Amino acid sequence: MRRYLYLIFFAFLHLLLPAAVTAQTVPEPAPKAAETAPSPPEVGPLELNMVMLVRDGAEVRVASGAVNRGEALVSIPFKYRRTAELTEDLVIPGLFGNGERILLKAGATGYWAGRFSSLTVNSTTLNGIPIRQSYGQMSYVQIWCFFGSNDKGKAASACVQLLEDGRAEYIITGRPYLLKNFSVQGASEVLKFSFQEKEVEVLPDLRMEYRFVEWDTKDVDVDFMIQGVWIDSLPAQREADGSALLETPAGNLRLRPLGSDRLKAMASLEQPSKPAEKVEAPARLDQETLQKTMLGIAQIVEAEANRLDNSVPTRMQVATPAQIDPSPRPIRAGEVVARQTIRPVRAFTQDTSPLNRPTRFGPPGALLFQVSQGNDPTMLCWRNPEQMAQTAPDQQQNRVQSYCLEDYDKDGRYEVLWKNPVFAEGTRYLLQGRSSRTVLNQPDSPPISVQPADPSLLPPETIELVYLGVSDEKLNETGAVIPESLKFQWRYATFPGGSPEITGIFMFEVNVSKEGSGQYHIGDQPVLIVRDVKADSNPNLQVQGFYPLGDVDLQILAERAKDMRAFAQKLREGAKAPAEATTGATASAPSPAVP
């Protein structure tokens, strides 16, 4: 979706900064229309317009006369844009994991509640105390909510989030007419669940209401309700004449006070009932605010470029061509669409054993592989190959004997020993952290010398390209929800069960045209083509190849950092430009890196 200047800044900032732990948030609303006094404010697109729309042919009820606290100002009939029906019972584990429990019987009807993002925090603890924390990959889930009856014949409802790997989880909500606040803590995995997207009536005579609360000095408080259930508070700012304008899907609702009575109001709709239209006019900022915003974001972008420069590079030797199915075929979220093997670019053997402990730190001649920590390419690591071959389950990998050596003074010998490095679960070579630093500077424990070795002696690492699903939607000209972009991710997959939050290498998006197609390129060569992308079906995918053989950067961090610095420089130049050249202008964030 298009964003305007300051919205681009904050959207870009959102990508750089970590989100809340295990939080899931509704996609941000589309930007409001520009306001130019003395014209009344325009109605901008509301986020609920992606989920629901005003029901044709039904009465929009506007209160006549004085409205008291708790009474409806306007009642708007609506229906959900995407609906579905359960084709089998929705089943989760029973209490305390015993047996099974039917939440909803087959035949329950429901609706698409939207797409949500989730960011997981991975914590490493020592004796129960967190010692290291890292943020996992952003995941994208769709949530569907259903209404029906349980196995006892009582009315029930449930919301289910569809995870990237094809699984589903039941989340805890109240009456889920519109998701605003809900919990994913303790979500239960769904044992049985299937539905068919089709046009059905979810509930009879669905209505949203805007109920009056009270007038304050600066605004008026209004409660947003659906079927009598509170959803949100919507304060509307008072204008010069004391009235207030509230945006609704049915039009502008004008609220006027009755004298000085804080607990009474009059209401009227100021435009015909119709869905709000998307407005593409950029909002204007005053020059001083715009300059401060541009300079502030430039500083943040520059800091992110510096962070990328000091990130762990992902240069690897690609050992095999991509294992792909080149024929067009439908794909599901969580499906592997390509697979390759890689290994470190360089390998070495150690002349002696660190601390003269060959059992713990490998014998003379042990094969080491080169990794990079920050901007330092002089880290060499060893993992006990026999133990690695015997401990494939990811929960046991950290029991494998391992260590890393560092040439701190760059003299060609390795004098720093890291006894307990942390490697990512599910991988052979992805170093995540170091601890237990020892300096090798004693006669009985001298620095370690190494000799070059053949990298092909290192066991290969498997990586997989996974389709994560639709990552963004929009409304087309007819008001239908259609996909706007699809998300893919390369992951380490040497050992089964590796967490996607930890083993993710590189994520990218494929933008979808209004015709439902898109391409992803490496250089000028399209390597991935999607067609027939629709909101209610799996897209068709054709993979033509991916990483070439040889030494390849799995993601080009240096180029991404360069693009960011160029973007930061444009922001600084724009901040110094005359007012007429910057006010209301648009800019685009750096293009994403390609493998």
Side-chain angles (χ1 to χ4, degrees):
M1 299 178 182
R2 292 186 60 185
R3 295 290 186 266
Y4 307 121
L5 183 57
Y6 69 102
L7 290 168
I8 290 175
F9 296 158
F10 291 109
F12 188 68
L13 175 60
H14 172 73
L15 296 176
L16 305 184
L17 300 181
V21 176
T22 66
Q24 297 209 359
T25 56
V26 180
E28 63 173 313
K32 303 290 190 297
E35 298 182 13
T36 55
S39 301
E42 297 285 343
V43 174
L46 304 178
E47 67 181 45
L48 58 83
N49 278 352
M50 288 290 290
V51 178
M52 57 184 65
L53 72 163
V54 177
R55 194 165 68 246
D56 292 335
E59 179 188 8
V60 177
R61 303 169 189 160
V62 182
S64 60
V67 178
N68 299 309
R69 178 197 285 267
E71 294 180 346
L73 298 159
V74 62
S75 173
I76 304 171
F78 74 91
K79 65 179 181 179
Y80 294 108
R81 289 187 181 273
R82 297 177 62 186
T83 57
E85 183 178 71
L86 285 185
T87 54
E88 68 174 333
D89 294 346
L90 173 57
V91 180
I92 65 171
L95 293 176
F96 309 109
N98 297 320
E100 298 181 351
R101 174 185 167 202
I102 297 178
L103 280 180
L104 284 175
K105 298 288 291 182
T109 55
Y111 74 98
W112 178 74
R115 179 168 305 281
F116 298 75
S117 61
S118 177
L119 188 64
T120 304
V121 173
N122 309 301
S123 296
T124 301
T125 61
L126 181 63
N127 297 325
I129 301 174
I131 59 174
R132 186 174 61 85
Q133 193 174 75
S134 63
Y135 292 91
Q137 295 287 353
M138 184 74 71
S139 60
Y140 300 86
V141 298
Q142 293 190 74
I143 295 182
W144 287 78
C145 295
F146 293 88
F147 300 86
S149 59
N150 58 22
D151 54 344
K152 298 179 181 179
K154 295 183 179 180
S157 61
C159 291
V160 176
Q161 59 178 358
L162 310 181
L163 305 180
E164 294 173 352
D165 58 6
R167 294 181 299 117
E169 287 183 339
Y170 160 66
I171 63 175
I172 301 170
T173 67
R175 293 287 283 173
Y177 299 113
L178 178 67
L179 292 192
K180 283 286 189 176
N181 298 291
F182 59 94
S183 173
V184 295
Q185 298 288 347
S188 300
E189 182 171 358
V190 174
L191 301 178
K192 297 177 183 178
F193 172 65
S194 66
F195 67 95
Q196 179 183 3
E197 185 168 350
K198 58 192 295 188
E199 188 170 346
V200 295
E201 182 182 64
V202 177
L203 290 168
D205 195 27
L206 277 166
R207 284 185 172 270
M208 64 181 78
E209 289 183 341
Y210 293 81
R211 295 188 183 180
F212 173 67
V213 179
E214 65 179 359
W215 291 96
D216 292 327
T217 303
K218 295 183 178 180
D219 58 26
V220 59
D221 294 330
V222 177
D223 283 341
F224 177 53
M225 319 278 286
I226 294 180
Q227 301 294 91
V229 175
W230 182 87
I231 303 296
D232 203 357
S233 292
L234 303 174
Q237 188 173 0
R238 299 180 73 160
E239 299 178 5
D241 63 356
S243 68
L245 193 72
L246 187 67
E247 301 168 358
T248 81
N252 285 333
L253 182 65
R254 176 68 65 180
L255 305 182
R256 293 181 173 84
L258 268 70
S260 60
D261 193 336
R262 296 175 56 244
L263 303 182
K264 291 184 182 297
M266 298 285 290
S268 62
L269 278 177
E270 294 197 344
Q271 67 179 39
S273 172
K274 64 177 181 179
E277 296 180 355
K278 197 169 186 177
V279 180
E280 297 291 349
R284 290 184 176 272
L285 300 177
D286 66 85
Q287 181 66 12
E288 182 179 358
T289 301
L290 184 61
Q291 287 180 327
K292 289 181 178 179
T293 301
M294 296 175 77
L295 292 174
I297 298 300
Q299 185 176 4
I300 294 173
V301 173
E302 190 79 36
E304 174 64 8
N306 292 336
R307 187 193 68 79
L308 286 179
D309 278 342
N310 292 293
S311 295
V312 178
T314 52
R315 188 167 184 80
M316 285 284 185
Q317 182 185 99
V318 177
T320 59
Q323 300 177 34
I324 59 174
D325 180 357
S327 59
R329 61 187 178 90
I331 54 169
R332 305 182 316 274
E335 186 174 346
V336 174
V337 298
R339 184 179 287 111
Q340 290 189 264
T341 58
I342 59 174
R343 56 170 58 94
V345 171
R346 302 183 68 187
F348 298 85
T349 56
Q350 60 186 18
D351 292 345
T352 58
S353 176
L355 299 179
N356 296 314
R357 295 174 59 187
T359 301
R360 171 65 180 86
F361 299 117
L367 191 63
L368 312 179
F369 54 90
Q370 186 180 61
V371 299
S372 296
Q373 185 73 11
N375 225 13
D376 182 3
T378 57
M379 290 276 293
L380 304 180
C381 297
W382 175 81
R383 303 185 81 181
N384 188 310
E386 290 78 15
Q387 289 184 341
M388 284 293 292
Q390 298 170 3
T391 57
D394 58 355
Q395 65 269 23
Q396 299 181 18
Q397 286 183 49
N398 284 329
R399 301 179 186 177
V400 173
Q401 292 176 336
S402 59
Y403 70 90
C404 292
L405 296 171
E406 182 180 5
D407 181 10
Y408 186 77
D409 57 9
K410 309 296 188 297
D411 66 350
R413 298 198 305 166
Y414 291 76
E415 67 280 347
V416 177
L417 170 67
W418 298 96
K419 295 181 181 178
N420 297 299
V422 179
F423 289 87
E425 296 176 353
T427 77
R428 289 184 180 275
Y429 303 117
L430 180 59
L431 178 66
Q432 284 199 310
R434 301 173 293 181
S435 61
S436 303
R437 185 178 188 268
T438 299
V439 178
L440 306 176
N441 59 1
Q442 301 298 320
D444 58 344
S445 58
I448 304 300
S449 297
V450 299
Q451 301 296 324
D454 183 358
S456 66
L457 299 175
L458 294 167
E461 177 96 286
T462 301
I463 58 173
E464 294 176 340
L465 179 65
V466 181
Y467 169 56
L468 301 185
V470 177
S471 55
D472 202 2
E473 286 102 350
K474 64 181 178 180
L475 297 179
N476 66 7
E477 296 83 358
T478 65
V481 177
I482 61 173
E484 190 171 36
S485 60
L486 308 180
K487 184 78 75 174
F488 293 81
Q489 181 183 46
W490 276 106
R491 295 174 182 168
Y492 290 99
T494 302
F495 302 100
S499 168
E501 290 83 11
I502 299 174
T503 60
I505 303 172
F506 174 68
M507 296 179 71
F508 62 88
E509 287 186 335
V510 175
N511 294 324
V512 179
S513 69
K514 64 180 181 180
E515 290 79 18
S517 63
Q519 295 185 357
Y520 183 75
H521 292 73
I522 294 180
D524 296 329
Q525 180 67 31
V527 295
L528 187 153
I529 302 172
V530 292
R531 298 185 179 90
D532 306 318
V533 183
K534 300 177 182 178
D536 58 350
S537 64
N538 297 322
N540 281 309
L541 176 74
Q542 183 177 5
V543 183
Q544 298 178 328
F546 258 95
Y547 293 121
L549 297 179
D551 296 351
V552 174
D553 285 325
L554 300 187
Q555 55 176 318
I556 309 173
L557 299 178
E559 287 194 9
R560 291 176 62 190
K562 180 180 178 181
D563 287 342
M564 288 182 178
R565 289 197 172 91
F567 182 55
Q569 182 60 29
K570 288 182 179 179
L571 293 176
R572 286 189 288 264
E573 292 172 355
K576 298 176 183 178
E580 61 271 14
T582 56
T583 302
T586 59
S588 58
S591 58
V594 298

